[in-house]
Structure formats: structure tokens, C-alpha cells
Amino acid sequence: MGRAEIGRALSLSTQAVSNIIAELSDDGLLIERGHLAVGRGLPAKQYALNPKGGYAFGIEIRPDALLAALLDMEGNPVMMKRVAMTKTDPETIVVQIKSLYLEALADEAGAGGRMLGAGIVMPGPFGATGISGHGTDLADWNDIDPATYFSQALDLPVEVSNDANAAAMAERLNGAAQGLSNYAYLYFGTGLGLGLVSDGALVQGAFGNAGEIGHIPMPGINGNLESRLSRMSLQQHLSSADKHADDIDTLAMLFESRDKDLHAWLKPACEALAYAVAVVENLFDPEAIILGGAMPDALLEYFVDQTSLPDQSVSNRPNAQHPRLQSGASGRMTATLGAAALVLNRTLSPHIAHAH
Amino acid sequence: MGRAEIGRALSLSTQAVSNIIAELSDDGLLIERGHLAVGRGLPAKQYALNPKGGYAFGIEIRPDALLAALLDMEGNPVMMKRVAMTKTDPETIVVQIKSLYLEALADEAGAGGRMLGAGIVMPGPFGATGISGHGTDLADWNDIDPATYFSQALDLPVEVSNDANAAAMAERLNGAAQGLSNYAYLYFGTGLGLGLVSDGALVQGAFGNAGEIGHIPMPGINGNLESRLSRMSLQQHLSSADKHADDIDTLAMLFESRDKDLHAWLKPACEALAYAVAVVENLFDPEAIILGGAMPDALLEYFVDQTSLPDQSVSNRPNAQHPRLQSGASGRMTATLGAAALVLNRTLSPHIAHAH
DNA sequence: TTGATCATTCAAACAGTTTGAGTTAATCCC
DNA sequence: GGGATTAACTCAAACTGTTTGAATGATCAA
């Protein structure tokens, strides 16, 4: 955009924009993109964010591994790494993270002085709650505030969140949620998580544990939602037929080959998804619900196509602008990239900073 | 507070606070409260909001009546009125609202030049949706944007919301939610609504229809949540036993006298409430859930006491600071006062104003 | 009584903004 | 082809809201 256009969009004078652009250019945060003539008048000098003007580091902590990614300011990954872990105590993890961080800085020349912060994704819920202790959470982390701990270790501002929130933010940066400010993201991790974005900001809850949609009771069965709709439920279903699918590729293969056990799981899963959609839509009235996470693409597409969306919903509107249910980013690294996206979103979207 | 204390809280210099206080005092928005000596040093001149420095007008539009309230800046009601309506078309309503507004201004000398805005509560959902046309919504309003319409008619900034959101804001101003910034409000209107506050701001959804919790499917029965848990469901239950309770007082009397039909309704209602709590807690992780609306106080208290809260919830934490479920304001005027509270909250809480 | 502590004011400096006049480069239209 | 029109941009000055530093006032503690 040109100075005058930016000024109009921001309700600032052209002169003010000029001053700000001069400062940002000096800092290397903007690049010039030539002149653009759209009609009469002096063609505007175009400015854009310099993708190499800032970087965000993302870490995903899992019980068995550590995943890291480095994103530039446009959200392009410039590094991705995975390290298997056997111990998950804070000291072991922080040492490993520091070493991954140094690798990232070594990989990308110039990132050193331009780090905007680090995003950390770790399994929730945070603190002792009624759904703790189900095997997915990390030991030895109860007495530590992860944000402070990592912030001191890396000497960077740190954002901590869960996988679903991170994935939702990643989707806003580059994916299906671009331009949306009210949407929900259903994330397939081990269980089923929900990332909620309201007016451009994550709804994190009082203790950062919002979005545990997998744990709500599921109508018609004696169990919760994620007992029907999650990767773990699918894997349990398969293993009861003596089939073992530990990774996404195996699941994709089974889906592709129309495996009858996998397909038997699909129908009740779609019903569970329809229920989840009804709950999320009526409680939250999103522009769209995006489906993503550690599932094969084809399976996500199947869910989007085959799930019959509830009629009794505030989102069932005749003139909807967006598909009510759509698929987003899938794969192993979604949440890791999302961790870094947390930082980019904090940097790039206006908010009130609380004095410290 | 004194100037220096305010400065520290806001990360401003004392001098800046002095300048701002001078301006606000000139406008009559602050009052002096004498000096307060806490230790050594010059005792600080105390300042407080002038309750008469600003007013908020609240309107609740119902299919059969119009309710109005005028609140001062501290949230004290200085006027409350009710007018029965037979027609609900926009012209009839706006004429009546204008006349109520003039009455309010006449009642409170000095309110004229000090109106901060008007809050309007009207039955949702807004726009055509899958749960429209159930008899609770107003006719002839589909092509009108209520905010713009009333803003022009009253020449005031206008906030439009539903009853649950308004009630939630009222509770924050004066009631059980004081000091909370992440909480949920379960509101008994005709159906069952949910007001969500995240980081001090209402979660309204993309089209203002968030919080329609009454319309989510209820496990175990062939129906939605509000078919078990709402005033309408209670009244239907009673009328099938040939008892008619059109207002809160009658319901309170029946409850007090341990009417067996009413009490038969209570147990499944508590189960429905437990389910609602499980959904809201796991999805939003609130500090507390507040129960209020058009129900007798005693009945709300009964719900709070008798509902067994779900163990499988992120809010089931051993060291909780607030009761997970508590009762808030009840009665006929809750949503009307809330309508005005919308304005006070917008005025008093910091937010980013979007350029227009 | 004296010194320490803290709130406040005053004046000057500073930062970020708008305003208004002037310059540059494109299109429109005769 | 050439003047009129349009729009982006720059420069300088004014303005607004902030911080900084020195001075003053009122209280407590020893």
C-alpha cells in the first residue's frame, strides 16, 4: 500500500504515515515495491512488510518429542525440526529447546537480532483440574509457570497455549481463516480440542484451559465427545480389530484402501462431529468452523463432505458468506507452526498491552 | 485514588495524571473526596468518579412490552418504567422509546447533556437463521439494522445485544461478577441464553448471535437444552397439570409452597443444568458461572445448591477462588438494567475503537 | 526539632501528531 | 500536443499530550 491509502485506512494523516514509514524502513521492517499507478495523480510508492524483518520461533512439547519451527514475518517456515525425547522434566526440555533455538538462528542468517518471540505449545489442561491425569499431560510441570520459565531461558517474550489455539492462529495467518475474526477451529490432537477466535483474539479462558470440547458429554452414548471423535478413538477402534495405525500415513493408507474397520468408525464420528458443530455454532456463532490437526487430509475432507450440519443452529443462515464447515491445515507440524503463529499474531494485530 | 497512585497503576507520570484530572474535573466527571493520609508524606487528594457525571439509558424490547431504565455512572438506577405494547413494528416502537427517553431526561435534572449512550436489548437471533421463527422474535425487523436505526432516532451512540449478554454486563458492574473478566452468565429469559465475557469483553459471535445455549441438543432426551431448562419449559410442565404461572411471583409462591408439579420439574432441570455447566466450563474455562434472569430468587438458589457439578471439567480445580456456580441478579428488570450496563461498560473499560 | 518520605505543582523539553503550502507525476479532455 | 485536473508526497510550523527535573507542602519517625 501507499502512504495515503494507509493513512485513510488508519485514520491518520499522510504525514504521520510518512514519519512512521521512515522509522520502520530504517529498522528494516518494510520493503519498497515500486510505484503503482491506479488512475490520475502521482503513482503511490508501494510498501510491504519485509518478510525477513522479523522471525518467530515455535516449539511444540509432546510427551515423546519436541518439535520446532522458525517462521519469517510472512509466516513462511524457514526451519522445521523434530527431536525424540524420553524425559520430559523441565530441565531436560529447556536444554533441548535452547539447542534447537541456536540451530534455528544458525540456519537463518540475520534472524539473530530480529526475533519477535517464541510460542510454546504444550499439552493442557494447565494446573490441576478435573480432567488432569489422563496420561496426556506432562509430569513435573505443575509447579512451574511455563511462560516465565521459557522466557527467562530463551531471553524472549513467550506465549504459551494449547495445540488447538495455536493451530487456529496458524490458519488465520496463511490458511482458511484469512480475513476472519470470529471462527472456531476443531483440532485433532490426541483428543479433540477447540480453538476459539473472537474479534481477532483467542478465547483462552480464565486459566488458559478453554476449548476442551473433547471432554463434554456426548448425547446418546455413555461417554464424552472424544470417545467418538478423535485420533485416539479411531486408533482404539482399529486396534480392537487388531490393526495398528500409529501415524497419519498409515491412517491415510487405510482410508484410501477403504478399510472396512476404519469406515465403520466414520459414521458415528460424523454424528459426533455434527453434535460438536451444533454446540459450537449455537454457543459461539462463528463465521466458519475449521477442521484440522493430526489426521489425513482425505479424512478431513470426508468429514466436511459427509457431516450433515444441524438445521437448528444460528449459523444455518440462507445467505452465508463462508462454508459452515471447512478443512484447514493438517499434518504433523500444524500445532508447531501454530506456536510460532501465536507470536506473529500478537505482533501484527492491535491490542491493548497490559502494563506490567 | 490520588494522582500518584493512579499514575503508578496506569504507567503514567504524576504530571500526566494531573493534567487529565484537571480536564475531567472541568467536565464534572470527577469529584474530590478529601485527603487520605496512609503513612508519611503529603496525604493524597482523593478523586472518584462523579456518579452524576454521566448516564446510560437502557431499553428492553419484548413482544408484549417495552422496559426502560436510566442508570447513573455508578450503575444506580434513577428511573425504571414499563409500557405495555400491542404493536412491535419499528415505527411504533421508536416513537414509544423516544417518549420514554424524554421522560427519563425530565426525571433526572442534569442528565440531558450527560448521556453516554443507549443500550438496547431485543430478542435474538438477529437475521435469518435456523432457529428463527419460533415465535419469540419480532416481526418487521428483518430489514433494519437496529443499532443504526435507534442511534439516529435518539441521537445517541447505541449498543444492541441480547438479554443474556446485557445481564452479564450488569452483573459485572454491581453484582456477583465484580472483578471477574472471564465468566459466563446463564440467563433465564423465555428460553435459555448464555452471556460470555472473555478478558472483559463480550463474546458476541460473528453476527451477534453467540450464546444460544438453549438450542443445543440435550443428551438423553429427544430435544434441546431449553426444553428441560427454561421458564417456558416450566410453564408448559405446570400447564399440563392445569396450573398456570404467568409471572415470577406465582412461580415463587408455588416453589415456596413445595408444589409437587413444580418440584417434579426441578430434578430433570438440575440434570440439564449440570450438562450446561459441563459444556460451558470445558469450552470456556470461566472463573465462575452465574445464574440469573426471570426466575424467582429461591429457585435460582435451589439450582445452585442442588446441582451436582461435573467432575470431568477443567473448572473442577482443588484451589478454586470462586464458587463454580452462583446466583446473580434475578427479576423482571435484569435485562433492562443490563442494557444500560452495556453502555457503562463500553465507556469505562479500555478498548480499541475501530475507525469508521 | 530535624530529616525522611511522599504528593503535588510548575516549567521546560520531548514525541507524535495535524495542518497548510508547495512539488511531482500521472490521467483527462479539448 | 498541451493545459486542466487529480492524487501522492514532502517540508515546515503548529499543536497535543507526554516526560523530566526542580521546587514546595504536609506528614511521620527519631
Side-chain angles (χ1 to χ4, degrees):
Chain A
M1 294 171 83
R3 292 160 154 82
E5 192 182 354
I6 295 173
R8 283 189 298 269
L10 265 47
S11 298
L12 283 174
S13 63
T14 316
Q15 185 55 52
V17 176
S18 262
N19 296 342
I20 295 166
I21 282 185
E23 196 181 327
L24 294 177
S25 292
D26 284 353
D27 291 350
L29 294 172
L30 290 182
I31 48 174
E32 243 181 87
R33 283 260 175 86
H35 296 256
L36 181 66
V38 283
R40 291 189 191 182
L42 206 172
K45 226 184 227 179
Q46 301 297 109
Y47 287 91
L49 267 189
N50 180 3
K52 303 302 172 198
Y55 294 87
F57 187 55
I59 290 280
E60 184 182 357
I61 303 174
R62 294 198 194 154
D64 61 338
L66 218 50
L67 296 94
L70 186 66
L71 295 190
D72 69 19
M73 202 123 174
E74 269 184 339
N76 311 114
V78 296
M79 184 211 80
M80 288 160 96
K81 285 225 166 72
R82 181 183 193 281
V83 179
M85 301 289 284
T86 49
K87 293 172 67 183
T88 60
D89 60 292
E91 290 77 24
T92 312
I93 289 212
V94 85
V95 167
Q96 194 57 253
I97 286 183
K98 271 187 182 172
S99 124
L100 283 166
Y101 180 51
L102 292 178
E103 282 182 51
L105 292 186
D107 270 26
E108 181 76 5
R114 301 199 166 275
M115 290 303 303
L116 300 167
I120 315 261
V121 159
M122 47 194 300
F126 302 105
T129 76
I131 60 173
S132 300
H134 284 54
T136 59
D137 41 344
L138 302 174
D140 302 324
W141 282 85
N142 284 335
D143 301 330
I144 287 179
D145 173 41
T148 319
Y149 184 66
F150 289 120
S151 179
Q152 284 172 356
L154 295 174
D155 192 24
L156 283 176
V158 162
E159 311 260 317
V160 176
S161 200
N162 64 33
D163 42 14
N165 283 329
M169 279 292 141
E171 207 65 41
R172 192 169 186 230
L173 203 61
N174 275 326
Q178 261 173 310
L180 302 188
S181 4
N182 288 276
Y183 64 95
Y185 191 111
L186 272 173
Y187 179 86
F188 289 98
T190 312
L192 184 68
L194 179 71
L196 276 176
V197 177
S198 167
D199 266 335
L202 280 174
V203 173
Q204 305 242 35
F207 306 94
N209 288 332
E212 290 289 349
I213 195 173
H215 293 89
I216 69 175
M218 164 82 197
I221 64 167
N222 182 22
N224 58 24
L225 183 58
E226 70 189 21
S227 72
R228 284 291 164 89
L229 185 65
S230 66
R231 199 160 48 112
M232 192 183 264
S233 108
L234 172 54
Q235 286 169 333
Q236 276 172 359
H237 176 88
L238 290 174
S239 82
S240 72
D242 235 7
K243 289 174 182 165
H244 298 280
D246 288 342
D247 59 16
I248 299 180
D249 296 334
T250 313
L251 288 176
M253 226 183 54
L254 287 174
F255 180 81
E256 193 64 29
S257 64
R258 302 181 175 279
D259 177 85
K260 79 175 198 324
D261 291 306
L262 188 149
H263 277 260
W265 174 86
L266 285 173
K267 200 183 159 218
C270 274
E271 283 165 16
L273 179 55
Y275 164 67
V277 167
V279 169
V280 171
E281 286 185 343
N282 281 310
L283 254 55
F284 187 62
D285 187 23
E287 286 168 275
I289 299 179
I290 297 165
L291 220 54
M295 280 286 197
D297 269 318
L299 218 157
L300 296 179
E301 295 292 349
Y302 179 91
F303 278 134
V304 170
D305 291 343
Q306 299 299 317
T307 303
S308 61
L309 302 174
D311 293 332
Q312 290 280 314
S313 163
V314 295
S315 297
N316 177 18
R317 43 184 75 241
N319 49 354
Q321 298 289 311
H322 306 275
R324 285 163 70 184
L325 186 63
Q326 48 188 296
S327 66
S330 66
R332 251 177 292 274
M333 296 293 284
T334 310
T336 314
L337 297 171
L342 289 170
V343 175
L344 293 180
N345 268 284
R346 188 210 49 201
T347 308
L348 298 175
S349 47
H351 60 275
I352 297 176
H354 296 286
H356 106 186
Chain B
M1 295 170 84
R3 293 161 154 83
E5 194 182 353
I6 296 173
R8 282 189 298 269
L10 265 46
S11 298
L12 283 175
S13 64
T14 316
Q15 185 55 51
V17 175
S18 262
N19 297 342
I20 293 166
I21 282 185
E23 196 181 330
L24 292 177
S25 293
D26 284 352
D27 291 350
L29 294 172
L30 289 182
I31 48 174
E32 245 181 84
R33 283 260 174 85
H35 296 255
L36 182 68
V38 284
R40 289 189 194 181
L42 206 172
K45 225 185 231 179
Q46 300 296 108
Y47 287 92
L49 267 190
N50 180 2
K52 304 301 172 198
Y55 294 87
F57 187 55
I59 290 280
E60 184 183 356
I61 303 173
R62 292 196 195 158
D64 61 338
L66 219 50
L67 296 95
L70 186 67
L71 295 190
D72 70 17
M73 201 122 174
E74 267 184 340
N76 311 115
V78 296
M79 186 211 79
M80 287 160 95
K81 284 225 164 71
R82 182 183 193 280
V83 179
M85 300 290 284
T86 48
K87 294 170 67 182
T88 59
D89 60 292
E91 290 78 23
T92 312
I93 290 214
V94 85
V95 167
Q96 195 56 253
I97 286 184
K98 271 187 183 172
S99 124
L100 283 166
Y101 181 50
L102 292 177
E103 282 182 51
L105 292 187
D107 270 26
E108 180 77 4
R114 301 198 166 277
M115 290 303 303
L116 300 167
I120 315 259
V121 159
M122 48 194 299
F126 302 106
T129 76
I131 62 173
S132 301
H134 285 53
T136 58
D137 41 345
L138 303 175
D140 303 323
W141 282 85
N142 284 336
D143 300 331
I144 287 178
D145 173 41
T148 320
Y149 184 67
F150 289 119
S151 180
Q152 284 170 358
L154 294 174
D155 194 24
L156 284 176
V158 161
E159 310 258 317
V160 175
S161 200
N162 63 33
D163 42 14
N165 282 329
M169 279 292 144
E171 208 64 43
R172 193 169 186 228
L173 203 60
N174 275 326
Q178 263 174 311
L180 302 189
S181 2
N182 289 277
Y183 64 96
Y185 191 111
L186 271 173
Y187 179 85
F188 289 99
T190 312
L192 185 67
L194 179 71
L196 276 176
V197 178
S198 167
D199 265 336
L202 281 174
V203 174
Q204 305 243 34
F207 306 94
N209 289 331
E212 290 290 347
I213 194 173
H215 293 89
I216 69 175
M218 164 82 197
I221 63 167
N222 183 21
N224 58 25
L225 183 58
E226 70 189 20
S227 73
R228 283 291 165 89
L229 185 65
S230 66
R231 200 161 47 112
M232 191 183 265
S233 108
L234 172 54
Q235 285 170 333
Q236 277 172 0
H237 176 88
L238 290 174
S239 81
S240 73
D242 236 7
K243 290 176 182 162
H244 298 281
D246 288 341
D247 59 16
I248 299 179
D249 296 335
T250 315
L251 288 176
M253 226 184 54
L254 287 174
F255 180 81
E256 193 64 29
S257 64
R258 301 182 177 278
D259 176 86
K260 78 175 194 329
D261 292 305
L262 188 149
H263 277 259
W265 174 86
L266 284 173
K267 198 180 162 220
C270 275
E271 284 165 15
L273 179 55
Y275 165 68
V277 167
V279 169
V280 171
E281 286 185 344
N282 281 309
L283 254 53
F284 293 104
D285 187 22
E287 284 168 279
I289 298 179
I290 297 165
L291 221 52
M295 280 287 198
D297 269 319
L299 218 155
L300 295 179
E301 294 293 350
Y302 179 93
F303 278 134
V304 170
D305 291 344
Q306 299 299 317
T307 302
S308 62
L309 301 174
D311 293 332
Q312 290 282 314
S313 163
V314 295
S315 297
N316 176 20
R317 43 184 74 241
N319 49 353
Q321 298 289 310
H322 305 276
R324 285 163 70 184
L325 185 63
Q326 47 188 297
S327 67
S330 66
R332 252 177 291 273
M333 296 294 284
T334 311
T336 316
L337 297 171
L342 289 170
V343 174
L344 292 180
N345 268 283
R346 188 210 48 200
T347 308
L348 298 174
S349 47
H351 59 277
I352 297 176
H354 296 286
H356 109 182

